[in-house]
Amino acid sequence: MAPFVLFPGRHHLLTRFQADYLRRLAGGGSTIVWAVTSANHENTKRNPVPYHRREAAIERFSVLTGLRSLVVPIFDTAPTDAFAEVTLKTITVATGLDLTPADTLVACSTPQVAKLYERLGFPIDWAEADPAEPAAPERPWDVLLRLSRGDDTWRDLAHPATIDVLERYRLIDTVRTVINDPIIGDEGGLTATRDYRTYVEAFTVAAQREWAAVRQYVQPGRIVDIGCGAGSVLELADREPGLHESDLIGVEIARHLYQECLHKKDQGVFRNANVYFYQRNVLGGAIFADRSVDTTLTFALTHEIWSYGDRRESVLQFARRIHAHTVPGGVWINSDVCGPGDPQRPVLLRLTRDDGANPSVARTDLADLPPSEVKTYVESLSTRARLDQFAVDFAFPFTYEPVDDRTVRIDQASAMDYLNRKDYVDNWLSETKEQFCGLSFADWTALLTEIGFDIDPASAPIRNDWVIDNRIAPVASLSDLDGKPLPWPATHLLAVARRQRNG
Protein backbone atom coordinates (compact mmCIF):
# COMPACT_ATOMS: atom_id res chain seq x y z
CA MET A 1 0.00 0.00 0.00
CA ALA A 2 1.52 3.30 -1.15
CA PRO A 3 1.70 6.03 1.53
CA PHE A 4 0.14 8.53 -0.91
CA VAL A 5 -2.53 8.43 -3.59
CA LEU A 6 -2.38 11.36 -5.99
CA PHE A 7 -5.83 12.12 -7.37
CA PRO A 8 -5.61 14.90 -10.04
CA GLY A 9 -8.75 16.39 -11.55
CA ARG A 10 -11.08 19.36 -11.58
CA HIS A 11 -13.33 17.75 -8.94
CA HIS A 12 -16.40 19.92 -9.49
CA LEU A 13 -18.54 17.02 -8.36
CA LEU A 14 -17.72 14.00 -6.19
CA THR A 15 -19.52 10.68 -6.65
CA ARG A 16 -20.57 7.77 -4.50
CA PHE A 17 -18.40 5.57 -6.72
CA GLN A 18 -15.34 7.69 -5.84
CA ALA A 19 -16.05 7.19 -2.14
CA ASP A 20 -16.09 3.39 -2.48
CA TYR A 21 -13.14 3.42 -4.88
CA LEU A 22 -10.89 5.59 -2.68
CA ARG A 23 -11.79 3.67 0.47
CA ARG A 24 -10.62 0.47 -1.25
CA LEU A 25 -7.50 2.17 -2.60
CA ALA A 26 -6.47 3.91 0.63
CA GLY A 27 -8.00 1.56 3.15
CA GLY A 28 -4.61 0.85 4.72
CA GLY A 29 -4.09 4.46 5.74
CA SER A 30 -2.84 6.17 2.58
CA THR A 31 -3.19 9.93 2.32
CA ILE A 32 -5.20 11.14 -0.68
CA VAL A 33 -3.57 14.16 -2.32
CA TRP A 34 -6.28 15.94 -4.28
CA ALA A 35 -4.63 18.02 -7.01
CA VAL A 36 -7.53 20.32 -7.94
CA THR A 37 -6.74 21.61 -11.44
CA SER A 38 -8.08 24.86 -12.96
CA ALA A 39 -8.26 26.14 -9.39
CA ASN A 40 -8.08 29.75 -10.59
CA HIS A 41 -11.08 29.30 -12.88
CA GLU A 42 -14.75 29.64 -12.02
CA ASN A 43 -18.00 30.57 -13.71
CA THR A 44 -16.92 28.98 -17.01
CA LYS A 45 -18.42 26.03 -18.86
CA ARG A 46 -15.40 23.85 -18.06
CA ASN A 47 -15.11 25.14 -14.51
CA PRO A 48 -18.48 26.25 -13.15
CA VAL A 49 -17.69 25.80 -9.43
CA PRO A 50 -15.07 27.98 -7.67
CA TYR A 51 -12.11 26.27 -6.07
CA HIS A 52 -12.98 27.12 -2.46
CA ARG A 53 -16.35 25.36 -2.84
CA ARG A 54 -14.68 22.35 -4.44
CA GLU A 55 -12.23 22.25 -1.55
CA ALA A 56 -15.08 22.44 0.96
CA ALA A 57 -16.82 19.49 -0.68
CA ILE A 58 -13.60 17.44 -0.69
CA GLU A 59 -12.98 18.13 3.00
CA ARG A 60 -16.55 17.15 3.90
CA PHE A 61 -16.24 14.07 1.67
CA SER A 62 -13.07 13.08 3.55
CA VAL A 63 -14.75 13.38 6.93
CA LEU A 64 -17.78 11.34 5.85
CA THR A 65 -15.65 8.60 4.27
CA GLY A 66 -12.97 8.50 6.94
CA LEU A 67 -10.21 9.32 4.46
CA ARG A 68 -7.13 11.40 5.23
CA SER A 69 -6.80 14.08 2.58
CA LEU A 70 -4.62 16.96 1.47
CA VAL A 71 -6.19 19.41 -1.01
CA VAL A 72 -3.86 21.42 -3.25
CA PRO A 73 -4.97 24.07 -5.78
CA ILE A 74 -3.30 23.77 -9.20
CA PHE A 75 -3.61 26.91 -11.30
CA ASP A 76 -4.34 26.56 -14.99
CA THR A 77 -1.40 26.76 -17.40
CA ALA A 78 -0.99 26.86 -21.14
CA PRO A 79 -1.15 23.36 -22.65
CA THR A 80 2.12 21.59 -21.92
CA ASP A 81 3.47 18.03 -21.86
CA ALA A 82 5.12 18.95 -18.56
CA PHE A 83 1.81 19.42 -16.75
CA ALA A 84 2.47 16.44 -14.46
CA GLU A 85 5.81 17.95 -13.43
CA VAL A 86 4.13 21.32 -12.83
CA THR A 87 1.51 19.66 -10.64
CA LEU A 88 4.08 17.77 -8.59
CA LYS A 89 6.17 20.90 -8.04
CA THR A 90 3.08 22.84 -6.98
CA ILE A 91 2.26 20.13 -4.43
CA THR A 92 5.80 20.33 -3.07
CA VAL A 93 5.60 24.10 -2.67
CA ALA A 94 2.17 23.92 -1.02
CA THR A 95 2.72 20.97 1.32
CA GLY A 96 6.44 20.17 1.49
CA LEU A 97 5.72 16.71 0.06
CA ASP A 98 8.02 15.45 -2.67
CA LEU A 99 5.86 12.75 -4.23
CA THR A 100 7.80 10.06 -6.10
CA PRO A 101 6.93 6.84 -7.96
CA ALA A 102 8.28 4.93 -4.97
CA ASP A 103 5.71 6.28 -2.51
CA THR A 104 2.80 7.47 -4.65
CA LEU A 105 0.08 5.80 -6.68
CA VAL A 106 -1.75 7.99 -9.22
CA ALA A 107 -5.51 7.49 -9.39
CA CYS A 108 -6.75 8.70 -12.74
CA SER A 109 -9.59 8.32 -15.20
CA THR A 110 -8.21 10.31 -18.13
CA PRO A 111 -5.83 8.41 -20.45
CA GLN A 112 -4.03 11.56 -21.64
CA VAL A 113 -3.28 12.61 -18.06
CA ALA A 114 -2.30 9.08 -17.04
CA LYS A 115 0.33 9.01 -19.80
CA LEU A 116 2.01 12.13 -18.38
CA TYR A 117 2.49 10.42 -15.01
CA GLU A 118 3.41 7.05 -16.52
CA ARG A 119 6.18 8.78 -18.40
CA LEU A 120 7.59 9.86 -15.02
CA GLY A 121 7.42 6.30 -13.71
CA PHE A 122 4.33 6.61 -11.50
CA PRO A 123 2.07 3.54 -11.21
CA ILE A 124 -1.50 4.21 -12.36
CA ASP A 125 -4.74 2.94 -10.89
CA TRP A 126 -7.70 3.53 -13.17
CA ALA A 127 -10.75 5.10 -11.60
CA GLU A 128 -13.88 5.43 -13.74
CA ALA A 129 -12.14 4.86 -17.07
CA ASP A 130 -10.45 1.50 -16.64
CA PRO A 131 -9.70 0.43 -20.26
CA ALA A 132 -10.26 -3.21 -19.26
CA GLU A 133 -13.71 -2.44 -17.85
CA PRO A 134 -16.27 -1.81 -20.64
CA ALA A 135 -19.07 -1.00 -18.19
CA ALA A 136 -17.16 1.75 -16.39
CA PRO A 137 -19.11 3.89 -13.90
CA GLU A 138 -20.24 7.34 -14.92
CA ARG A 139 -17.59 10.02 -14.65
CA PRO A 140 -18.15 12.99 -12.32
CA TRP A 141 -18.35 15.40 -15.25
CA ASP A 142 -21.13 13.35 -16.84
CA VAL A 143 -23.00 13.46 -13.54
CA LEU A 144 -22.56 17.23 -13.49
CA LEU A 145 -24.01 17.39 -17.01
CA ARG A 146 -27.04 15.50 -15.73
CA LEU A 147 -27.44 18.25 -13.15
CA SER A 148 -27.11 20.90 -15.86
CA ARG A 149 -29.88 19.27 -17.91
CA GLY A 150 -32.26 19.24 -14.97
CA ASP A 151 -32.02 15.46 -14.66
CA ASP A 152 -32.54 14.87 -10.94
CA THR A 153 -30.93 11.42 -11.11
CA TRP A 154 -27.61 13.22 -10.60
CA ARG A 155 -28.42 13.06 -6.88
CA ASP A 156 -28.40 9.25 -7.00
CA LEU A 157 -24.81 9.26 -8.28
CA ALA A 158 -23.32 12.29 -6.49
CA HIS A 159 -21.83 11.93 -3.02
CA PRO A 160 -23.79 13.56 -0.17
CA ALA A 161 -20.84 15.90 0.49
CA THR A 162 -21.18 17.44 -2.97
CA ILE A 163 -24.97 17.62 -2.73
CA ASP A 164 -24.67 19.39 0.63
CA VAL A 165 -22.17 22.01 -0.58
CA LEU A 166 -24.00 22.71 -3.84
CA GLU A 167 -27.30 23.13 -1.99
CA ARG A 168 -25.96 25.16 0.95
CA TYR A 169 -24.19 27.64 -1.30
CA ARG A 170 -27.00 27.70 -3.89
CA LEU A 171 -24.70 26.52 -6.66
CA ILE A 172 -27.08 24.17 -8.45
CA ASP A 173 -28.74 26.97 -10.43
CA THR A 174 -25.35 28.60 -11.01
CA VAL A 175 -23.95 25.41 -12.54
CA ARG A 176 -26.99 25.03 -14.79
CA THR A 177 -26.84 28.66 -15.90
CA VAL A 178 -23.12 28.66 -16.67
CA ILE A 179 -22.99 25.31 -18.50
CA ASN A 180 -26.07 26.10 -20.59
CA ASP A 181 -25.12 29.71 -21.30
CA PRO A 182 -25.15 30.27 -25.10
CA ILE A 183 -22.79 33.24 -24.89
CA ILE A 184 -20.05 32.36 -22.42
CA GLY A 185 -17.39 30.13 -23.97
CA ASP A 186 -15.71 27.11 -22.39
CA GLU A 187 -13.05 29.30 -20.81
CA GLY A 188 -15.31 32.14 -19.71
CA GLY A 189 -14.91 34.49 -22.66
CA LEU A 190 -16.86 35.46 -25.74
CA THR A 191 -14.49 33.96 -28.29
CA ALA A 192 -11.50 31.66 -28.11
CA THR A 193 -9.38 33.84 -30.42
CA ARG A 194 -9.57 37.07 -28.43
CA ASP A 195 -6.29 38.50 -27.10
CA TYR A 196 -7.40 40.10 -23.83
CA ARG A 197 -4.11 41.89 -23.27
CA THR A 198 -4.96 44.06 -26.27
CA TYR A 199 -8.38 44.79 -24.81
CA VAL A 200 -7.00 45.74 -21.39
CA GLU A 201 -4.71 48.26 -23.07
CA ALA A 202 -7.55 49.63 -25.20
CA PHE A 203 -9.87 49.99 -22.20
CA THR A 204 -7.22 51.90 -20.27
CA VAL A 205 -6.62 54.31 -23.15
CA ALA A 206 -10.34 54.89 -23.79
CA ALA A 207 -11.44 55.21 -20.16
CA GLN A 208 -10.56 58.90 -19.74
CA ARG A 209 -12.49 59.84 -22.86
CA GLU A 210 -15.50 57.70 -21.95
CA TRP A 211 -15.70 58.98 -18.39
CA ALA A 212 -15.39 62.61 -19.50
CA ALA A 213 -18.30 62.10 -21.90
CA VAL A 214 -20.69 60.63 -19.31
CA ARG A 215 -19.61 61.96 -15.91
CA GLN A 216 -22.20 64.76 -15.81
CA TYR A 217 -25.07 62.29 -16.21
CA VAL A 218 -23.97 59.86 -13.47
CA GLN A 219 -26.21 59.82 -10.41
CA PRO A 220 -24.62 58.99 -7.03
CA GLY A 221 -25.77 55.93 -5.14
CA ARG A 222 -25.44 52.47 -6.56
CA ILE A 223 -23.40 52.73 -9.76
CA VAL A 224 -23.03 49.63 -11.93
CA ASP A 225 -20.69 49.26 -14.91
CA ILE A 226 -21.85 46.26 -16.95
CA GLY A 227 -19.13 44.93 -19.22
CA CYS A 228 -16.62 46.81 -17.06
CA GLY A 229 -13.60 45.30 -18.81
CA ALA A 230 -10.56 45.78 -16.59
CA GLY A 231 -12.39 48.26 -14.34
CA SER A 232 -10.76 51.34 -15.85
CA VAL A 233 -13.90 53.53 -15.81
CA LEU A 234 -14.66 52.56 -12.22
CA GLU A 235 -11.12 53.63 -11.31
CA LEU A 236 -12.01 57.13 -12.51
CA ALA A 237 -15.37 57.06 -10.74
CA ASP A 238 -13.49 56.06 -7.59
CA ARG A 239 -11.53 59.34 -7.75
CA GLU A 240 -14.64 61.56 -7.94
CA PRO A 241 -15.21 63.35 -4.60
CA GLY A 242 -18.95 63.51 -5.27
CA LEU A 243 -19.15 59.71 -5.56
CA HIS A 244 -17.07 58.72 -2.53
CA GLU A 245 -20.12 57.39 -0.68
CA SER A 246 -21.47 55.50 -3.71
CA ASP A 247 -21.24 51.76 -4.28
CA LEU A 248 -19.15 51.04 -7.38
CA ILE A 249 -19.99 47.68 -8.93
CA GLY A 250 -18.39 46.09 -11.98
CA VAL A 251 -19.94 43.21 -13.91
CA GLU A 252 -17.78 41.39 -16.48
CA ILE A 253 -18.46 38.21 -18.45
CA ALA A 254 -14.87 37.47 -19.57
CA ARG A 255 -12.83 35.58 -16.99
CA HIS A 256 -9.53 37.20 -18.01
CA LEU A 257 -10.89 40.72 -17.53
CA TYR A 258 -12.75 39.86 -14.33
CA GLN A 259 -9.51 38.54 -12.83
CA GLU A 260 -7.76 41.76 -13.80
CA CYS A 261 -10.43 43.69 -11.86
CA LEU A 262 -9.87 41.53 -8.78
CA HIS A 263 -6.12 42.00 -9.12
CA LYS A 264 -6.53 45.78 -9.13
CA LYS A 265 -8.73 45.63 -6.05
CA ASP A 266 -6.21 43.39 -4.27
CA GLN A 267 -3.44 45.86 -5.10
CA GLY A 268 -5.32 48.76 -3.49
CA VAL A 269 -6.09 50.64 -6.70
CA PHE A 270 -9.54 51.62 -5.38
CA ARG A 271 -9.86 53.95 -2.38
CA ASN A 272 -13.60 53.42 -1.98
CA ALA A 273 -14.23 50.44 0.32
CA ASN A 274 -17.51 49.71 -1.48
CA VAL A 275 -16.11 48.43 -4.78
CA TYR A 276 -17.36 45.03 -5.91
CA PHE A 277 -16.92 42.85 -9.00
CA TYR A 278 -19.06 40.02 -10.36
CA GLN A 279 -18.39 37.63 -13.22
CA ARG A 280 -21.84 37.28 -14.72
CA ASN A 281 -23.76 37.21 -17.97
CA VAL A 282 -26.63 39.63 -17.46
CA LEU A 283 -28.67 37.81 -20.11
CA GLY A 284 -28.54 34.71 -17.94
CA GLY A 285 -30.79 36.26 -15.29
CA ALA A 286 -31.25 39.25 -13.04
CA ILE A 287 -28.21 40.22 -10.96
CA PHE A 288 -29.67 43.16 -9.08
CA ALA A 289 -32.98 43.54 -7.31
CA ASP A 290 -35.68 45.59 -9.00
CA ARG A 291 -35.40 49.35 -8.48
CA SER A 292 -32.02 49.07 -6.75
CA VAL A 293 -29.51 50.74 -9.13
CA ASP A 294 -29.15 54.51 -9.56
CA THR A 295 -26.79 54.55 -12.56
CA THR A 296 -26.00 51.81 -15.06
CA LEU A 297 -23.03 52.32 -17.39
CA THR A 298 -22.39 50.29 -20.54
CA PHE A 299 -19.47 51.02 -22.85
CA ALA A 300 -18.93 49.13 -26.12
CA LEU A 301 -21.14 46.32 -24.84
CA THR A 302 -24.55 46.34 -26.49
CA HIS A 303 -23.22 45.51 -29.97
CA GLU A 304 -21.77 42.31 -28.45
CA ILE A 305 -25.16 41.40 -26.98
CA TRP A 306 -26.64 41.98 -30.45
CA SER A 307 -23.90 39.95 -32.15
CA TYR A 308 -23.65 36.93 -29.86
CA GLY A 309 -27.31 36.78 -28.89
CA ASP A 310 -30.56 36.86 -30.79
CA ARG A 311 -30.06 40.30 -32.36
CA ARG A 312 -32.79 42.78 -31.39
CA GLU A 313 -34.56 40.34 -29.06
CA SER A 314 -31.40 39.93 -26.95
CA VAL A 315 -30.82 43.67 -26.77
CA LEU A 316 -34.46 44.18 -25.86
CA GLN A 317 -34.21 41.58 -23.09
CA PHE A 318 -31.03 43.22 -21.79
CA ALA A 319 -32.61 46.67 -21.82
CA ARG A 320 -35.65 45.37 -19.95
CA ARG A 321 -33.42 43.98 -17.22
CA ILE A 322 -31.72 47.33 -16.85
CA HIS A 323 -35.05 49.14 -16.73
CA ALA A 324 -36.23 46.71 -14.05
CA HIS A 325 -33.21 47.21 -11.77
CA THR A 326 -33.11 51.00 -12.23
CA VAL A 327 -34.61 53.13 -9.45
CA PRO A 328 -37.39 55.54 -10.49
CA GLY A 329 -35.56 58.61 -11.76
CA GLY A 330 -32.39 56.57 -12.30
CA VAL A 331 -30.35 56.53 -15.49
CA TRP A 332 -28.81 54.12 -17.99
CA ILE A 333 -25.89 55.60 -19.94
CA ASN A 334 -24.98 53.60 -23.02
CA SER A 335 -22.00 54.50 -25.21
CA ASP A 336 -21.37 52.20 -28.16
CA VAL A 337 -20.93 51.89 -31.89
CA CYS A 338 -24.01 52.25 -34.07
CA GLY A 339 -25.10 52.02 -37.67
CA PRO A 340 -25.78 54.87 -40.12
CA GLY A 341 -29.20 56.47 -40.22
CA ASP A 342 -29.99 54.95 -43.61
CA PRO A 343 -28.33 51.52 -43.30
CA GLN A 344 -29.71 49.87 -46.46
CA ARG A 345 -28.88 52.74 -48.78
CA PRO A 346 -26.77 51.48 -51.72
CA VAL A 347 -23.50 53.38 -52.04
CA LEU A 348 -20.24 53.25 -53.95
CA LEU A 349 -17.26 52.46 -51.75
CA ARG A 350 -13.85 53.18 -53.27
CA LEU A 351 -10.84 51.57 -51.59
CA THR A 352 -7.12 51.84 -52.22
CA ARG A 353 -5.18 48.85 -53.60
CA ASP A 354 -1.77 50.43 -53.13
CA ASP A 355 -1.22 49.69 -49.42
CA GLY A 356 -0.79 45.92 -49.53
CA ALA A 357 -1.15 42.68 -51.42
CA ASN A 358 -4.09 41.95 -53.71
CA PRO A 359 -4.55 38.18 -54.00
CA SER A 360 -7.07 37.00 -56.55
CA VAL A 361 -9.04 34.93 -54.01
CA ALA A 362 -9.74 35.50 -50.32
CA ARG A 363 -8.60 32.75 -47.96
CA THR A 364 -11.11 30.50 -46.24
CA ASP A 365 -8.75 28.79 -43.78
CA LEU A 366 -7.86 31.58 -41.34
CA ALA A 367 -9.66 29.81 -38.49
CA ASP A 368 -7.13 26.97 -38.80
CA LEU A 369 -4.12 29.26 -38.36
CA PRO A 370 -2.42 30.46 -35.15
CA PRO A 371 -3.54 34.02 -34.23
CA SER A 372 -0.12 35.46 -35.05
CA GLU A 373 -0.31 34.10 -38.61
CA VAL A 374 -3.85 35.46 -39.03
CA LYS A 375 -2.62 38.89 -38.00
CA THR A 376 0.39 38.75 -40.32
CA TYR A 377 -1.72 37.69 -43.29
CA VAL A 378 -4.55 40.18 -42.85
CA GLU A 379 -2.05 42.95 -42.17
CA SER A 380 -0.38 42.21 -45.50
CA LEU A 381 -3.56 42.85 -47.52
CA SER A 382 -4.49 46.09 -49.20
CA THR A 383 -7.60 47.92 -48.02
CA ARG A 384 -9.50 46.66 -51.07
CA ALA A 385 -8.33 43.05 -50.65
CA ARG A 386 -9.10 43.18 -46.94
CA LEU A 387 -12.77 43.81 -47.81
CA ASP A 388 -12.84 40.49 -49.68
CA GLN A 389 -11.34 38.75 -46.66
CA PHE A 390 -13.79 40.50 -44.33
CA ALA A 391 -16.70 39.24 -46.43
CA VAL A 392 -15.46 35.65 -45.96
CA ASP A 393 -14.93 35.90 -42.20
CA PHE A 394 -17.78 38.22 -41.18
CA ALA A 395 -20.52 36.40 -39.27
CA PHE A 396 -23.21 38.62 -40.83
CA PRO A 397 -23.28 37.88 -44.56
CA PHE A 398 -23.60 40.77 -46.98
CA THR A 399 -23.36 41.18 -50.73
CA TYR A 400 -21.34 43.65 -52.76
CA GLU A 401 -20.72 44.11 -56.46
CA PRO A 402 -17.36 45.14 -57.88
CA VAL A 403 -17.66 48.16 -60.19
CA ASP A 404 -13.97 48.38 -61.03
CA ASP A 405 -10.78 47.13 -59.38
CA ARG A 406 -11.12 49.70 -56.57
CA THR A 407 -14.85 50.37 -56.26
CA VAL A 408 -17.74 48.23 -55.05
CA ARG A 409 -21.48 48.76 -54.79
CA ILE A 410 -22.55 47.91 -51.26
CA ASP A 411 -25.12 48.90 -48.65
CA GLN A 412 -24.03 51.71 -46.34
CA ALA A 413 -24.22 49.69 -43.10
CA SER A 414 -21.99 46.88 -44.43
CA ALA A 415 -19.55 49.45 -45.78
CA MET A 416 -19.25 51.07 -42.35
CA ASP A 417 -19.04 47.73 -40.57
CA TYR A 418 -16.00 46.93 -42.67
CA LEU A 419 -14.38 50.35 -42.45
CA ASN A 420 -14.74 50.47 -38.69
CA ARG A 421 -13.17 47.01 -38.35
CA LYS A 422 -10.55 46.80 -41.06
CA ASP A 423 -7.67 47.79 -38.76
CA TYR A 424 -8.49 45.31 -35.97
CA VAL A 425 -5.94 42.78 -37.17
CA ASP A 426 -4.81 41.72 -33.67
CA ASN A 427 -8.19 40.09 -33.03
CA TRP A 428 -9.46 39.69 -36.58
CA LEU A 429 -11.39 36.44 -36.16
CA SER A 430 -12.92 37.67 -32.93
CA GLU A 431 -13.90 41.06 -34.30
CA THR A 432 -15.48 39.60 -37.43
CA LYS A 433 -17.96 37.77 -35.20
CA GLU A 434 -19.43 41.12 -34.14
CA GLN A 435 -21.66 43.55 -36.01
CA PHE A 436 -21.19 47.24 -35.25
CA CYS A 437 -24.00 48.56 -37.43
CA GLY A 438 -26.90 46.35 -36.42
CA LEU A 439 -28.84 49.22 -34.82
CA SER A 440 -28.99 52.87 -35.84
CA PHE A 441 -29.63 55.72 -33.41
CA ALA A 442 -33.26 55.79 -34.53
CA ASP A 443 -33.50 52.06 -33.81
CA TRP A 444 -32.11 52.64 -30.33
CA THR A 445 -34.52 55.46 -29.63
CA ALA A 446 -37.47 53.27 -30.62
CA LEU A 447 -36.24 50.34 -28.54
CA LEU A 448 -35.64 52.37 -25.37
CA THR A 449 -38.97 54.14 -25.69
CA GLU A 450 -40.74 50.81 -26.16
CA ILE A 451 -39.40 49.63 -22.80
CA GLY A 452 -40.47 52.76 -20.97
CA PHE A 453 -37.30 54.85 -20.77
CA ASP A 454 -37.35 58.59 -21.41
CA ILE A 455 -34.62 59.71 -23.82
CA ASP A 456 -32.55 62.58 -22.44
CA PRO A 457 -31.85 65.41 -24.94
CA ALA A 458 -28.14 64.71 -24.47
CA SER A 459 -28.60 61.48 -26.41
CA ALA A 460 -27.26 61.70 -29.94
CA PRO A 461 -25.57 59.87 -32.81
CA ILE A 462 -21.85 60.70 -32.93
CA ARG A 463 -19.24 60.53 -35.63
CA ASN A 464 -15.74 59.68 -34.46
CA ASP A 465 -13.84 62.15 -36.61
CA TRP A 466 -10.45 60.92 -35.40
CA VAL A 467 -11.22 57.45 -36.80
CA ILE A 468 -12.57 58.99 -40.01
CA ASP A 469 -9.62 61.33 -40.50
CA ASN A 470 -6.87 58.90 -39.50
CA ARG A 471 -8.12 55.44 -40.39
CA ILE A 472 -10.86 55.65 -43.01
CA ALA A 473 -10.65 58.76 -45.21
CA PRO A 474 -6.98 58.24 -46.22
CA VAL A 475 -7.81 54.90 -47.86
CA ALA A 476 -11.54 55.05 -48.68
CA SER A 477 -14.26 57.30 -50.06
CA LEU A 478 -18.05 57.06 -50.11
CA SER A 479 -20.40 58.31 -52.83
CA ASP A 480 -23.94 57.80 -54.07
CA LEU A 481 -24.64 55.70 -57.15
CA ASP A 482 -24.15 58.77 -59.37
CA GLY A 483 -20.68 59.31 -57.96
CA LYS A 484 -21.59 62.31 -55.78
CA PRO A 485 -19.44 62.28 -52.61
CA LEU A 486 -21.33 61.46 -49.41
CA PRO A 487 -20.50 62.63 -45.90
CA TRP A 488 -19.31 59.94 -43.53
CA PRO A 489 -22.23 58.75 -41.36
CA ALA A 490 -22.38 58.42 -37.58
CA THR A 491 -20.16 55.73 -36.08
CA HIS A 492 -21.20 55.85 -32.41
CA LEU A 493 -24.03 56.84 -30.11
CA LEU A 494 -24.51 58.23 -26.64
CA ALA A 495 -27.86 57.24 -25.15
CA VAL A 496 -28.90 58.70 -21.80
CA ALA A 497 -32.05 56.84 -20.85
CA ARG A 498 -33.97 57.74 -17.70
CA ARG A 499 -36.57 55.73 -15.89
CA GLN A 500 -39.63 57.83 -15.14
CA ARG A 501 -39.96 58.83 -11.49
CA ASN A 502 -43.42 57.36 -11.38
CA GLY A 503 -42.48 54.37 -13.53
Side-chain angles (χ1 to χ4, degrees):
M1 180 68 62
F4 300 101
V5 174
L6 174 59
F7 196 20
R10 287 178 286 157
H11 300 306
H12 290 281
L13 184 144
L14 309 174
T15 65
R16 297 175 190 270
F17 167 81
Q18 286 177 326
D20 294 336
Y21 166 73
L22 291 173
R23 271 194 294 250
R24 292 196 306 270
L25 204 61
S30 299
T31 296
I32 311 294
V33 181
W34 301 73
V36 183
T37 57
S38 297
N40 55 328
H41 289 192
E42 62 180 277
N43 222 41
T44 71
K45 288 184 186 294
R46 289 186 66 251
N47 298 289
V49 181
Y51 165 74
H52 60 290
R53 303 303 186 211
R54 289 181 257 170
E55 180 185 34
I58 292 169
E59 294 288 8
R60 183 158 178 74
F61 174 96
S62 301
V63 171
L64 294 177
T65 56
L67 293 168
R68 185 173 188 270
S69 293
L70 288 172
V71 189
V72 180
I74 309 296
F75 279 22
D76 200 49
T77 65
T80 172
D81 288 338
F83 187 67
E85 290 96 321
V86 171
T87 299
L88 292 167
K89 289 176 183 177
T90 303
I91 291 169
T92 300
V93 171
T95 67
L97 291 175
D98 185 12
L99 302 180
T100 70
D103 61 18
T104 304
L105 175 68
V106 176
C108 188
S109 62
T110 305
Q112 298 92 324
V113 174
K115 287 179 181 178
L116 298 178
Y117 288 97
E118 282 182 320
R119 190 182 64 190
L120 300 178
F122 284 88
I124 305 296
D125 194 278
W126 292 98
E128 296 89 356
D130 187 344
E133 188 64 52
E138 197 156 346
R139 296 189 187 195
W141 184 254
D142 295 322
V143 179
L144 196 71
L145 291 180
R146 287 194 186 206
L147 182 160
S148 72
R149 294 192 297 266
D151 180 351
D152 219 38
T153 59
W154 75 272
R155 295 175 181 274
D156 300 329
L157 300 171
H159 191 271
T162 279
I163 297 173
D164 173 55
V165 169
L166 292 182
E167 287 184 338
R168 261 192 300 140
Y169 291 98
R170 301 183 180 184
L171 290 169
I172 293 175
D173 287 341
T174 298
V175 169
R176 285 176 178 158
T177 298
V178 171
I179 290 180
N180 296 318
D181 195 309
I183 294 181
I184 298 178
D186 285 354
E187 300 300 335
L190 293 172
T191 64
T193 59
R194 181 166 288 184
D195 178 359
Y196 284 96
R197 289 173 298 179
T198 302
Y199 282 85
V200 170
E201 295 168 2
F203 291 146
T204 302
V205 170
Q208 291 276 0
R209 181 181 70 252
E210 291 170 340
W211 181 245
V214 306
R215 168 63 189 93
Q216 59 185 311
Y217 311 113
V218 173
Q219 296 182 188
R222 208 172 191 206
I223 300 169
V224 175
D225 184 359
I226 300 178
C228 67
S232 300
V233 169
L234 290 180
E235 285 185 58
L236 299 174
D238 177 65
R239 300 172 193 168
E240 289 281 345
L243 302 178
H244 73 279
E245 292 186 355
S246 295
D247 289 352
L248 305 178
I249 303 169
V251 180
E252 177 54 53
I253 189 174
R255 175 179 56 82
H256 308 72
L257 300 177
Y258 168 70
Q259 290 178 335
E260 181 66 19
C261 292
L262 295 184
H263 177 69
K264 286 183 176 180
K265 187 175 179 180
D266 289 343
Q267 295 299 310
V269 169
F270 298 97
R271 293 174 292 188
N272 187 333
N274 295 309
V275 176
Y276 309 96
F277 293 101
Y278 299 92
Q279 187 188 8
R280 296 285 192 278
N281 171 18
V282 177
L283 293 182
I287 297 175
F288 304 102
D290 288 356
R291 303 181 176 217
S292 66
V293 176
D294 296 276
T295 299
T296 301
L297 303 170
T298 54
F299 298 98
L301 171 71
T302 50
H303 76 275
E304 292 188 338
I305 293 172
W306 167 279
S307 299
Y308 294 103
D310 189 20
R311 311 299 186 259
R312 188 179 192 274
E313 184 56 37
S314 292
V315 176
L316 191 63
Q317 177 187 347
F318 176 73
R320 282 176 176 148
R321 291 199 189 284
I322 293 181
H323 186 272
H325 77 219
T326 302
V327 301
V331 63
W332 173 23
I333 305 167
N334 180 32
S335 174
D336 202 356
V337 291
C338 79
D342 189 1
Q344 298 307 314
R345 178 181 184 177
V347 296
L348 296 179
L349 175 64
R350 185 171 177 83
L351 305 168
T352 185
R353 291 170 48 89
D354 304 330
D355 54 352
N358 293 281
S360 58
V361 179
R363 293 182 63 164
T364 59
D365 64 341
L366 294 193
D368 300 326
L369 302 179
S372 59
E373 290 186 25
V374 174
K375 176 185 176 182
T376 299
Y377 177 73
V378 175
E379 216 167 24
S380 73
L381 300 175
S382 73
T383 303
R384 173 63 186 86
R386 207 173 291 183
L387 171 66
D388 295 334
Q389 190 62 52
F390 183 78
V392 169
D393 299 322
F394 194 39
F396 303 83
F398 63 92
T399 59
Y400 62 104
E401 177 187 347
V403 176
D404 55 40
D405 64 349
R406 296 174 183 267
T407 308
V408 299
R409 175 175 171 154
I410 188 173
D411 68 87
Q412 188 168 214
S414 296
M416 294 308 296
D417 244 314
Y418 166 63
L419 293 173
N420 280 307
R421 214 75 50 77
K422 66 180 179 62
D423 298 303
Y424 289 12
V425 295
D426 286 340
N427 292 284
W428 179 262
L429 292 179
S430 174
E431 290 294 343
T432 53
K433 287 181 171 60
E434 299 177 7
Q435 187 175 34
F436 279 18
C437 299
L439 292 172
S440 67
F441 181 76
D443 294 330
W444 267 108
T445 300
L447 185 147
L448 294 171
T449 303
E450 176 183 339
I451 292 166
F453 279 112
D454 287 338
I455 310 301
D456 189 282
S459 304
I462 300 166
R463 188 175 71 186
N464 187 325
D465 287 332
W466 186 93
V467 171
I468 297 295
D469 294 342
N470 292 275
R471 296 290 180 84
I472 296 178
V475 293
S477 62
L478 205 63
S479 62
D480 64 19
L481 298 185
D482 294 325
K484 180 180 177 181
L486 292 173
W488 295 106
T491 57
H492 294 73
L493 69 89
L494 174 64
V496 181
R498 302 185 183 278
R499 178 166 180 167
Q500 297 173 0
R501 293 193 178 276
N502 58 354

